[in-house]
Amino acid sequence: MKGMLSPSLMCADMLNLQSEITILDNLGVEYIHLDFMDGKFVPNITLDASLIKSVKSVLNNMKRDIHIMAFEPQNYFDRMEIGKDDIVSVHLEACSDLHAVIENIRSRNARPFAAISPDTPAYALKDYLSEIDGVLVMTVYPGFAGQPIAKGSFEKICEVRKIIDDSGKNLILEVDGHVSWDLCKKMRDCGADLFVAGSSSVYSKGMGIEEAVKKMRNLIS
Ligand code: DX5
Ligand code: ZN
């Protein structure tokens, strides 16, 4: 399915998270993007594992889209209570045995996605296509919101889309980082299906969340 939305909770109002989540859920947004960082794989810490677990209890229809920017991400799955329907994106660059991590996510009835940072070539995904449900293409260097798009991002999205199509697998292509008002359409045209919306769109200053979601929906569908 194309044109799906995943607002990035780390860009939301940290003092009103539950109400922000409920507004998105009521607007029919498909996913909530939950960034976890270990301070080692990336030099930052954001949402912690227990908060990511707690999000489960306030969701109606919206699903969790968990992006783990940490070495050996499997060490955090229990604390996050990874389970049915969760998208769990883990970085190729951060796992000593990605096949085992993918299998671990599957064993919890969750949906494994392979995430690649801007400097990781698209062909690195090829060994995993038969085991995953999707790919997370980082269009900024992981670790912080509000960054400019990484050079070569559109070519990367097109390349990953071609690799997925050539494989015959029905995988979701998710894009994450500077998914802005003026660039999201081009990302869609390059083959993106799921859009992480952060500080350069849904959480951009000066626009209400309802209006921003509507605007984003029109641009990406
Ligand atoms: C960055 C995170 C992104 C980030 C997106 O490492 O993975 O999800 O929150 O924020 P923007 O859209 O501002 O780049
Ligand atoms: Zn993310």
Side-chain angles (χ1 to χ4, degrees), residues 35-39 41-42 67-71 89 91 138 142-143:
D35 288 303
F36 177 82
M37 302 178 188
D38 64 359
F41 177 64
V42 293
H67 177 197
I68 306 180
M69 287 159 274
F71 287 113
S89 293
H91 275 265
M138 287 305 293

Side-chain angles (χ1 to χ4, degrees), residues 8 10 33-37 65-69 89 91 136 138 140 142-143 174-177 196:
S8 177
M10 74 178 261
H33 190 77
L34 304 166
D35 288 303
F36 177 82
M37 302 178 188
D65 170 27
I66 302 168
H67 177 197
I68 306 180
M69 287 159 274
S89 293
H91 275 265
L136 174 64
M138 287 305 293
V140 296
E174 179 174 9
V175 287
D176 183 7
V196 175

Side-chain angles (χ1 to χ4, degrees), residues 122-123 125-135 158-173 193:
Y123 63 75
L125 292 160
K126 282 189 174 170
D127 293 350
Y128 307 97
L129 294 182
S130 60
E131 304 159 47
I132 54 179
D133 280 358
V135 174
C158 290
E159 229 182 309
V160 172
R161 172 45 62 198
K162 184 165 179 342
I163 289 173
I164 291 174
D165 292 348
D166 290 352
S167 75
K169 288 262 306 170
N170 181 21
L171 302 183
I172 293 173
L173 198 167
D193 306 305

